[in-house]
Amino acid sequence: MTDVFGLSHKESGPSIGQARHEQVVFCSDDRSGLHAIIAIYNTALGPGLGGTRFYPYESEQAALADVLNLSRAMAYKNALAGLDLGGGKAVIIGDPVKDKSEALLRAYGRFIQSLSGRYFTACDVGTYSEDMDIVARESSYVTGRTVANGGAGDSSILTAYGVFQGMRAAAAYAYGTSSLRGRRVGVEGVGKVGHRLVGHLLEDGAEVVVCDVSEQAVERVRSLHPEVGVVADAAAMKAADLDVYSPCALGGALDDDTVAGLRAKIVCGGANNQLGHPGVEKQLAERGILYAPDYVVNSGGVIQVADEIHGFNMDRARVKATQIFDTTLKIFSIAEEEGVPPAAAADRLAERRMSEVGRLRGIWLGR
């Protein structure tokens, strides 16, 4: 039996509180093969916004745990990004290569529409802008659409840009200069976000080394940037002599063993849920490693797709994503002043905004 309320209360992302989710919707359409879960964590600042992950989970329980964690993280990410949006996320259980179809995506769109705007979706692992165009044939609450259909297109553009801004802020705090020139940066995972981040780093004069489970992904980067170095795997990357370690693959990259052997002075990457378990952020701080909270620095993507809601403008979205630099610096300052790790400082800042701005919805505006 799936214990929705128990998981919502007990399964939490790193450094994030224990509040329950507002709404969890199980979506099933046997004819199309759709089995999905939509989780809305908090709508204090506005409707929930978060992507749809299409993934072959080993069980419904695993899918539920993931969507609860991800939707909670989106509430904090959207709050710190300065958006008037809450936290939501969805997962579709299945193999996107084998199971994705027009009927399935349109059935999913019907379920989103049934929530009447409480949740806006976008792309995530296993889904693309073209998929969002299909979902949008059944729902008005879809972002991350193709440029041809008035959307923002590939959200990894500003995700990578935002990570770069967060890394510049970390360098400014740790080294006294926001330039990464001469710094050795290791990028683990050079997919959608990682390969774009590599370009920003090289333009800024950094020395870059990469790794990825996909040889094809590594070769794509090397073909564009032959000066980039390559290490064998994730373990070799974490043990390498780096100034900055940038996890841009799947979550959980930082656990007890990783932190104990990590040689980098800064951790700043695009992956979600980088901390393997609560307490890792304290271990990083104790070792003198500056951690830029993932949901702060990788918020450029949600900034990009959120801009679609009122008509997309890339210049406007990029200006907002540039503010990730200032937000990251503010978090480091709060952490120092309050004597807590940056992850805890980020949580406090997000919770403060959700509380202070969210309460304004209680002011009656009349009919």
Side-chain angles (χ1 to χ4, degrees):
M1 179 178 177
T2 301
D3 181 3
V4 177
F5 296 106
L7 277 173
S8 180
H9 185 63
K10 293 183 288 186
E11 294 290 331
S12 64
S15 304
I16 294 177
Q18 297 292 322
R20 297 182 189 275
H21 285 66
E22 290 182 10
Q23 188 174 11
V24 180
V25 181
F26 289 77
C27 315
S28 180
D29 180 61
D30 289 338
R31 288 282 296 273
S32 68
L34 174 71
H35 298 286
I37 309 172
I38 301 171
I40 300 172
Y41 177 69
N42 183 300
T43 57
L45 295 175
L49 170 64
T52 297
R53 180 165 294 189
F54 203 137
Y55 190 78
Y57 294 96
E58 60 183 20
S59 67
E60 184 180 275
Q61 192 84 354
L64 177 60
D66 199 31
V67 77
L68 293 177
N69 280 332
L70 292 168
S71 58
R72 182 183 292 107
M74 287 305 304
Y76 284 67
K77 178 184 293 190
N78 291 341
L80 286 176
L83 301 173
D84 293 331
L85 294 164
K89 201 80 174 186
V91 296
I92 298 175
I93 303 170
D95 183 341
V97 176
K98 298 178 181 178
D99 301 328
K100 190 186 295 181
S101 68
E102 177 187 353
L104 182 149
L105 292 171
R106 293 184 70 159
Y108 172 59
R110 301 281 294 184
F111 282 102
I112 294 175
Q113 188 68 16
S114 74
L115 295 173
S116 302
R118 280 179 54 78
Y119 169 65
F120 281 78
T121 196
C123 308
D124 197 75
V125 174
T127 59
Y128 301 88
S129 294
E130 292 77 11
D131 298 326
M132 293 303 106
D133 285 344
I134 296 174
V135 174
R137 293 171 73 175
E138 301 292 341
S139 177
S140 307
Y141 308 108
V142 183
T143 61
R145 298 189 63 187
T146 61
V147 174
N149 283 284
D154 185 358
S155 64
S156 68
I157 295 172
L158 289 191
T159 303
Y161 178 72
V163 173
F164 176 60
Q165 294 303 321
M167 198 178 295
R168 290 180 61 244
Y173 188 83
Y175 300 121
T177 174
S178 62
S179 173
L180 292 158
R181 180 168 299 279
R183 302 295 175 188
R184 193 165 192 248
V185 182
V187 180
E188 179 185 328
V190 284
K192 287 182 180 180
V193 174
H195 89 273
R196 294 185 184 278
L197 177 60
V198 168
H200 290 302
L201 293 169
L202 292 172
E203 287 178 9
D204 201 39
E207 176 189 349
V208 180
V209 294
V210 304
C211 73
D212 198 293
V213 294
S214 168
E215 292 184 10
Q216 184 178 7
V218 172
E219 286 306 312
R220 177 178 64 170
V221 171
R222 291 274 295 159
S223 66
L224 293 172
H225 310 290
E227 68 271 35
V228 168
V230 179
V231 297
D233 53 28
M237 178 67 78
K238 292 163 186 172
D241 186 13
L242 302 172
D243 294 300
V244 183
Y245 166 54
S246 184
C248 293
L250 295 178
L254 297 164
D255 56 22
D256 297 342
D257 293 337
T258 296
V259 173
L262 198 62
R263 301 174 67 184
K265 186 171 182 177
I266 294 170
V267 174
C268 178
N272 288 312
N273 300 328
Q274 292 169 23
L275 304 181
H277 61 80
V280 173
E281 71 282 1
K282 295 179 182 178
Q283 296 175 35
L284 287 164
E286 288 168 359
R287 289 210 55 220
I289 299 171
L290 183 63
Y291 171 63
D294 50 47
Y295 70 83
V296 178
V297 302
N298 69 13
S299 62
V302 75
I303 289 171
Q304 182 172 332
V305 298
D307 199 77
E308 285 184 37
I309 295 174
H310 303 293
F312 182 65
N313 181 288
M314 178 59 92
D315 291 338
R316 179 177 61 204
R318 184 177 290 273
V319 168
K320 194 163 189 64
T322 302
Q323 295 171 7
I324 291 172
F325 178 92
D326 293 328
T327 302
T328 306
L329 273 182
K330 184 175 183 178
I331 286 165
F332 292 149
S333 295
I334 292 173
E336 184 175 358
E337 291 170 5
E338 300 185 3
V340 297
D347 288 350
R348 292 179 184 182
L349 187 59
E351 288 162 0
R352 191 180 307 155
R353 182 167 185 258
M354 283 188 273
S355 175
E356 292 178 355
V357 178
R359 73 167 187 81
L360 299 178
R361 292 185 163 222
I363 299 175
W364 189 57
L365 299 178
R367 295 187 178 182

